[in-house]
Amino acid sequence: MKKGADMKIAGKAACIFMLLTITKLTRITGNRMAAQVGHSAVMTCPNKPDATMVTWKISPKIGGPCTLGYRADQKKVDRTNCSDRVNCEFRSSQSYALEIQQVGMADEGNYSCEVVTQEGNFHQMYQLTVLVPPRLSLYCDDHRNPVCKAAAGRPAAEISWVPENNSMTETDSHDNGTVTVLSRFTAHSTDEKTVTCMVYHTTLNETKSIACSSYSVTKLNLPILLLHIPYRMTQRRWNLILLTCRRKTQFTTQCQI
């Protein structure tokens, strides 16, 4: 009985030793990183000058896997299904850095590097997220309400107003993962003629201002004026309105009604 118990203890000790050895020889670290679309992204491996082999494995969300491998004894780099935008300098002084030029949405995914040395194998993992700055616009709608729009951003932008108000916000998600956010300023009781839209995003913080309270007619929106003219307007009054508009547009380029 005692002998059997000793053998079980010895077996458990051997298993623990093997687990500690595997843990010592294989070291894995992971990072989350983000890159803006159109920019470059750089990821590094553990810096091991005595590395005999270095392998980068890329698993993008779109497209097939890519592999970049280097063997120190042959001083040879093997590329498998990798874009020309993806490059790696296999030099110990650069920590075997992987660079992606002109990052696109298709580059988002998982990246792993394995460095093989006499001490063991060292892994570095990355989860790459691609950021897309939104396209900003600020305009007045048909009811003279200021509208602020952050189109096709990733992640979704946040919009606020000065002065503060109970704005109406709409979001529209697109198939490529971007989101358009539209905010409509609805506080009609404010005394401020100019309102400011503030857009917050991971890639930018921007403000725009606009005044929609005064109704003006220019050459571009003169047809709108025609829709508001009574049907039974006399020719004399109509000529008077046109004459007034022409005189004012010579000095201010606008005709107030």
Side-chain angles (χ1 to χ4, degrees):
M1 294 291 294
K2 183 178 180 181
K3 185 176 180 180
D6 291 340
M7 291 181 64
K8 288 183 179 179
I9 294 174
K12 290 181 179 179
C15 290
I16 293 174
F17 176 78
M18 291 182 65
L19 289 174
L20 292 175
T21 302
I22 293 173
T23 303
K24 181 179 179 181
L25 295 180
T26 304
R27 303 173 186 177
I28 302 176
T29 56
N31 291 309
R32 293 177 178 269
M33 70 172 300
Q36 183 172 329
V37 66
H39 290 211
S40 296
V42 178
M43 289 164 274
T44 60
C45 269
N47 191 358
K48 300 295 178 181
D50 58 342
T52 58
M53 183 181 297
V54 180
T55 305
W56 273 101
K57 295 181 179 180
I58 304 172
S59 300
K61 290 184 177 180
I62 302 175
C66 155
T67 302
L68 285 169
Y70 172 74
R71 290 188 55 174
D73 58 345
Q74 298 181 359
K75 296 183 179 181
K76 181 182 178 182
V77 178
D78 293 325
R79 300 172 62 96
T80 304
N81 196 33
C82 294
S83 168
D84 294 337
R85 297 181 296 103
V86 179
N87 295 287
C88 183
E89 292 292 337
F90 292 97
R91 300 175 185 174
S92 58
S93 60
Q94 296 186 6
S95 301
Y96 313 108
L98 179 76
E99 181 181 9
I100 308 174
Q101 299 177 351
Q102 297 293 318
V103 172
M105 295 288 289
D107 296 318
E108 188 169 270
N110 298 320
Y111 293 71
S112 64
C113 174
E114 180 182 16
V115 180
V116 179
T117 70
Q118 294 181 352
E119 300 176 1
N121 297 354
F122 298 83
H123 295 77
Q124 179 72 52
M125 301 183 67
Y126 294 90
Q127 185 176 3
L128 178 64
T129 300
V130 178
L131 307 176
V132 181
R135 301 187 302 272
L136 308 182
S137 60
L138 180 62
Y139 58 92
C140 305
D141 65 9
D142 295 338
H143 301 285
R144 287 177 283 168
N145 294 318
V147 178
C148 189
K149 184 177 181 180
R154 191 168 189 266
E158 296 181 4
I159 299 177
S160 62
W161 294 91
V162 175
E164 296 183 358
N165 78 322
N166 296 322
S167 59
M168 298 176 57
T169 302
E170 303 173 7
T171 59
D172 184 15
S173 300
H174 307 293
D175 294 338
N176 62 356
T178 61
V179 181
T180 295
V181 181
L182 185 146
S183 180
R184 195 181 308 275
F185 191 93
T186 57
H188 299 285
S189 60
T190 178
D191 295 330
E192 299 289 338
K193 294 184 178 180
T194 301
V195 296
T196 300
C197 164
M198 297 184 295
V199 179
Y200 304 96
H201 191 261
T202 310
T203 62
L204 57 84
N205 291 324
E206 190 167 335
T207 61
K208 289 179 175 292
S209 299
I210 195 170
C212 299
S213 58
S214 60
Y215 190 88
S216 61
V217 178
T218 63
K219 294 180 180 179
L220 295 178
N221 56 22
L222 184 59
I224 299 178
L225 173 63
L226 299 179
L227 297 177
H228 294 80
I229 296 176
Y231 175 73
R232 294 185 177 181
M233 178 166 293
T234 63
Q235 183 68 33
R236 180 179 179 183
R237 182 167 178 78
W238 170 237
N239 292 337
L240 181 60
I241 290 177
L242 289 180
L243 180 61
T244 303
C245 288
R246 289 171 183 172
R247 288 179 177 177
K248 289 189 175 183
T249 53
Q250 291 178 357
F251 301 97
T252 64
T253 70
Q254 292 184 340
C255 176
Q256 305 291 332
I257 64 172

